[in-house]
Amino acid sequence: MSATTAPAGTRRPYLPALPRDRGRVSGVLLDALRLEPGSGVLRHLRAPADPYGDDLQLALYVCYELHYRSFRDVAGDWEWDPDLLRLRRDLERVFLTALRAEAPRHYDAAGALDDLLVEPIDVVGVSHHLRTEGTWPQLREYVAHRSVYHLKEADPHAWVIPRLEGRAKAALVAVEYDEFGAGRADRVHATLFADLMRGMGLDDRYGHYVDAAPASMLAVVNLMSLTGLHRSLRGALVGHFAAAEITTPPTARRMAQALQRLGAGPECVEFYTEHVEADAVHEQVMRHDVVEDLLAREPELEPDVVLGVDATVLLEDRYADDVLAAWRRGRPASRRHVSV
């Protein structure tokens, strides 16, 4: 077999189509990406004022996606186009300024991580609702939204690996090894999520449900990309990763129970049961081996670690509020004109 011949049964990576625009800035950006780089269309485009709005969050998501798989019929050179990078910088500044102002609730990393382990008894989140009273359409809608995150699960965190050293680096790589299936393609967590989607009758193609996802879900994903792509935010990326690993086991347990209550098959439940077991270990590794070692080496990064933890909670709570508010009104939580 030649070096350019793929093994039998393999296929080329799927590239999603460009999403629909959500305002002036995202519309101009999407139109520009249909042209060749260097057109100058983006040169004087300015970021929207609303840091959490649809227009800014979609534009930022599209800019970041050029560093992942990109989009069908978009020239590869757009990834490093100077005008696009300038626009991305402006979008990031608006988003990050808002996060720095609104997210921090803690003064130290230990306190921020401790609070993640204590769940208020009166809290009602999306997974609580789905476990006890959620409907099958609501469950499908939630999984479709989360696919924007989980079909690239662990990819953004890989960017921090060359920015760490010692025990923190080795431990984070160990967690990532599990996230990527411990060497087995069928056990990659993103693959398990795709299995879940197919079992629920959803389209498991990468990026398929971006148009359905509210801005609050895009913001959750954009936080990972923002902190992953900037070396200066490596502390925030580690804080985000630790927060995700610590909060996942109880949420995953409730999601597995929701699926079982509604009669889903084992191929749907496995993604969540895997996370109940794996992330219970990962939370200890992230906290004691990654965060503690990172801060022992670079104590000045503690405010950013706290930012990563607290921003994760802020954005996940904003998404949960959006979804539950729509469901309580008897409406879908997806953007209008998009069916799940």
Coordinates of all heavy atoms in Angstrom, one line a residue, residues 21-58:
D21 N -25.6 32.7 9.6 CA -25.1 33.9 10.4 C -26.1 34.2 11.5 O -27.3 33.8 11.4 CB -24.9 35.1 9.4 CG -26.3 35.6 8.9 OD1 -26.8 36.5 9.7 OD2 -26.7 35.2 7.9
R22 N -25.7 35.0 12.5 CA -26.6 35.4 13.6 C -26.5 36.9 13.8 O -26.7 37.4 14.9 CB -26.2 34.6 14.8 CG -26.3 33.1 14.7 CD -26.2 32.4 16.0 NE -26.1 31.0 15.9 CZ -26.1 30.1 16.9 NH1 -26.2 30.6 18.1 NH2 -26.1 28.8 16.6
G23 N -26.1 37.6 12.8 CA -26.0 39.1 12.9 C -25.0 39.6 11.9 O -24.4 38.9 11.1
R24 N -24.7 40.9 12.0 CA -23.9 41.6 11.0 C -22.5 41.0 10.9 O -21.9 40.7 9.9 CB -23.9 43.1 11.2 CG -23.0 43.8 10.2 CD -23.0 45.3 10.4 NE -22.0 45.9 9.5 CZ -20.7 46.1 9.7 NH1 -20.2 45.6 10.9 NH2 -19.9 46.6 8.8
V25 N -21.8 40.9 12.1 CA -20.4 40.5 12.1 C -20.2 39.1 11.7 O -19.4 38.8 10.8 CB -19.8 40.8 13.5 CG1 -18.4 40.2 13.6 CG2 -19.8 42.2 13.9
S26 N -21.0 38.2 12.2 CA -20.9 36.8 11.8 C -21.3 36.7 10.3 O -20.7 35.8 9.6 CB -21.8 35.9 12.7 OG -23.2 36.3 12.6
G27 N -22.2 37.5 9.8 CA -22.6 37.4 8.4 C -21.5 37.8 7.5 O -21.2 37.2 6.5
V28 N -20.8 38.9 7.8 CA -19.7 39.4 7.0 C -18.6 38.4 7.1 O -17.9 38.1 6.1 CB -19.2 40.8 7.5 CG1 -17.9 41.2 6.8 CG2 -20.3 41.8 7.3
L29 N -18.3 37.8 8.3 CA -17.2 36.8 8.4 C -17.5 35.6 7.5 O -16.6 35.1 6.8 CB -17.1 36.4 9.9 CG -16.2 35.2 10.2 CD1 -14.7 35.5 9.7 CD2 -16.2 34.9 11.6
L30 N -18.7 35.1 7.6 CA -19.1 33.9 6.8 C -19.0 34.2 5.3 O -18.5 33.3 4.6 CB -20.5 33.4 7.2 CG -20.6 32.9 8.6 CD1 -22.0 32.7 9.1 CD2 -19.8 31.5 8.7
D31 N -19.4 35.4 4.9 CA -19.3 35.7 3.5 C -17.9 35.8 3.1 O -17.5 35.3 2.0 CB -20.0 37.1 3.2 CG -21.5 37.0 3.2 OD1 -22.1 35.8 3.1 OD2 -22.2 38.0 3.4
A32 N -17.0 36.3 3.9 CA -15.6 36.4 3.6 C -14.9 35.1 3.4 O -14.1 34.9 2.6 CB -14.9 37.2 4.7
L33 N -15.3 34.1 4.3 CA -14.7 32.8 4.2 C -15.1 32.0 3.0 O -14.4 31.1 2.6 CB -15.2 32.0 5.4 CG -14.6 32.4 6.8 CD1 -15.2 31.6 7.9 CD2 -13.1 32.4 6.8
R34 N -16.1 32.5 2.2 CA -16.4 31.9 0.9 C -15.5 32.4 -0.2 O -15.6 31.9 -1.3 CB -17.9 32.1 0.6 CG -18.8 31.4 1.6 CD -20.3 31.7 1.3 NE -21.2 30.9 2.2 CZ -21.7 31.4 3.3 NH1 -21.5 32.7 3.6 NH2 -22.5 30.7 4.1
L35 N -14.7 33.4 0.2 CA -13.8 34.0 -0.8 C -12.4 33.5 -0.5 O -12.2 32.8 0.5 CB -13.8 35.6 -0.7 CG -15.2 36.2 -0.8 CD1 -15.1 37.7 -0.6 CD2 -15.8 36.0 -2.2
E36 N -11.4 33.9 -1.3 CA -10.0 33.6 -1.0 C -9.5 34.6 0.1 O -9.9 35.7 0.2 CB -9.2 33.7 -2.2 CG -9.4 32.6 -3.2 CD -9.1 31.2 -2.7 OE1 -8.0 31.1 -2.1 OE2 -9.9 30.3 -2.8
P37 N -8.6 34.1 0.9 CA -8.0 35.0 1.9 C -7.3 36.2 1.2 O -6.9 36.1 0.1 CB -6.9 34.2 2.6 CG -7.4 32.7 2.4 CD -8.0 32.7 1.0
G38 N -7.2 37.3 2.0 CA -6.6 38.5 1.5 C -7.5 39.5 0.8 O -7.1 40.4 0.2
S39 N -8.8 39.2 0.8 CA -9.8 40.0 0.1 C -10.0 41.4 0.8 O -10.4 42.4 0.2 CB -11.2 39.4 0.1 OG -11.7 39.2 1.4
G40 N -9.6 41.5 2.1 CA -9.7 42.8 2.8 C -11.1 43.0 3.3 O -11.3 44.1 4.0
V41 N -12.0 42.1 3.2 CA -13.4 42.3 3.6 C -13.5 42.5 5.1 O -14.3 43.2 5.6 CB -14.3 41.1 3.2 CG1 -15.7 41.2 3.8 CG2 -14.3 41.0 1.7
L42 N -12.6 41.8 5.9 CA -12.7 41.8 7.3 C -11.9 43.0 8.0 O -11.9 43.1 9.2 CB -12.1 40.5 7.9 CG -12.8 39.2 7.4 CD1 -12.2 38.0 8.1 CD2 -14.3 39.3 7.8
R43 N -11.2 43.8 7.1 CA -10.2 44.7 7.7 C -10.7 45.7 8.6 O -10.1 46.0 9.6 CB -9.5 45.4 6.5 CG -8.2 46.2 6.9 CD -7.3 46.3 5.7 NE -6.9 45.0 5.1 CZ -6.6 44.8 3.9 NH1 -6.6 45.8 3.0 NH2 -6.2 43.6 3.5
H44 N -11.9 46.2 8.4 CA -12.5 47.2 9.3 C -13.7 46.7 10.1 O -14.4 47.6 10.6 CB -12.9 48.4 8.4 CG -11.8 49.0 7.6 ND1 -10.7 49.6 8.2 CD2 -11.5 49.0 6.3 CE1 -9.8 50.0 7.3 NE2 -10.3 49.6 6.1
L45 N -13.9 45.4 10.2 CA -15.0 44.9 10.9 C -14.7 44.9 12.4 O -13.6 44.6 12.8 CB -15.2 43.4 10.4 CG -16.5 42.7 10.9 CD1 -17.7 43.5 10.3 CD2 -16.5 41.3 10.4
R46 N -15.6 45.3 13.2 CA -15.4 45.5 14.6 C -16.3 44.5 15.4 O -17.4 44.2 14.9 CB -15.7 46.9 15.1 CG -14.8 47.9 14.5 CD -13.4 47.7 15.2 NE -12.4 48.6 14.6 CZ -11.5 48.3 13.6 NH1 -11.5 47.1 13.1 NH2 -10.6 49.2 13.2
A47 N -15.9 44.1 16.6 CA -16.6 43.1 17.4 C -17.9 43.7 17.9 O -18.0 44.9 18.2 CB -15.8 42.6 18.5
P48 N -19.0 42.9 18.0 CA -20.2 43.3 18.6 C -20.0 43.7 20.1 O -19.0 43.2 20.7 CB -21.2 42.1 18.5 CG -20.5 41.3 17.5 CD -19.1 41.5 17.5
A49 N -20.9 44.5 20.7 CA -20.7 44.9 22.1 C -21.1 43.8 23.1 O -20.6 43.8 24.2 CB -21.5 46.2 22.3
D50 N -22.1 43.0 22.7 CA -22.7 42.0 23.7 C -21.7 40.8 23.7 O -21.6 40.0 22.8 CB -24.0 41.5 23.2 CG -24.7 40.6 24.2 OD1 -24.0 40.2 25.2 OD2 -25.8 40.2 24.0
P51 N -21.0 40.6 24.9 CA -20.0 39.5 24.9 C -20.6 38.1 24.9 O -20.0 37.2 24.5 CB -19.4 39.7 26.3 CG -20.4 40.5 27.1 CD -21.1 41.3 26.1
Y52 N -21.9 38.0 25.2 CA -22.6 36.7 25.2 C -23.6 36.5 24.1 O -24.3 35.5 24.1 CB -23.2 36.4 26.6 CG -22.3 36.6 27.8 CD1 -22.5 37.6 28.7 CD2 -21.2 35.8 27.9 CE1 -21.6 37.8 29.8 CE2 -20.3 36.0 29.0 CZ -20.6 37.0 29.9 OH -19.7 37.1 31.0
G53 N -23.7 37.5 23.3 CA -24.7 37.4 22.2 C -24.4 36.5 21.1 O -23.3 36.0 20.9
D54 N -25.5 36.2 20.3 CA -25.4 35.2 19.2 C -24.3 35.7 18.2 O -23.5 34.8 17.7 CB -26.7 35.1 18.5 CG -27.6 34.0 19.2 OD1 -27.2 32.9 19.3 OD2 -28.7 34.4 19.6
D55 N -24.3 36.9 17.9 CA -23.4 37.4 16.8 C -22.0 37.2 17.2 O -21.2 36.7 16.4 CB -23.7 38.9 16.5 CG -23.2 39.3 15.1 OD1 -22.9 38.5 14.3 OD2 -23.0 40.5 14.9
L56 N -21.6 37.7 18.4 CA -20.2 37.5 18.8 C -19.8 36.1 19.0 O -18.7 35.6 18.6 CB -19.9 38.3 20.1 CG -18.4 38.3 20.5 CD1 -18.1 39.7 21.1 CD2 -18.2 37.3 21.6
Q57 N -20.6 35.3 19.7 CA -20.3 33.9 20.0 C -20.2 33.1 18.7 O -19.3 32.2 18.6 CB -21.3 33.3 21.0 CG -21.1 33.9 22.4 CD -19.8 33.7 23.0 OE1 -19.1 32.7 22.8 NE2 -19.3 34.6 23.9
L58 N -21.0 33.3 17.8 CA -20.9 32.5 16.5 C -19.7 32.9 15.8 O -18.9 32.1 15.3 CB -22.1 32.7 15.7 CG -22.0 31.9 14.3 CD1 -22.0 30.4 14.6 CD2 -23.2 32.2 13.4

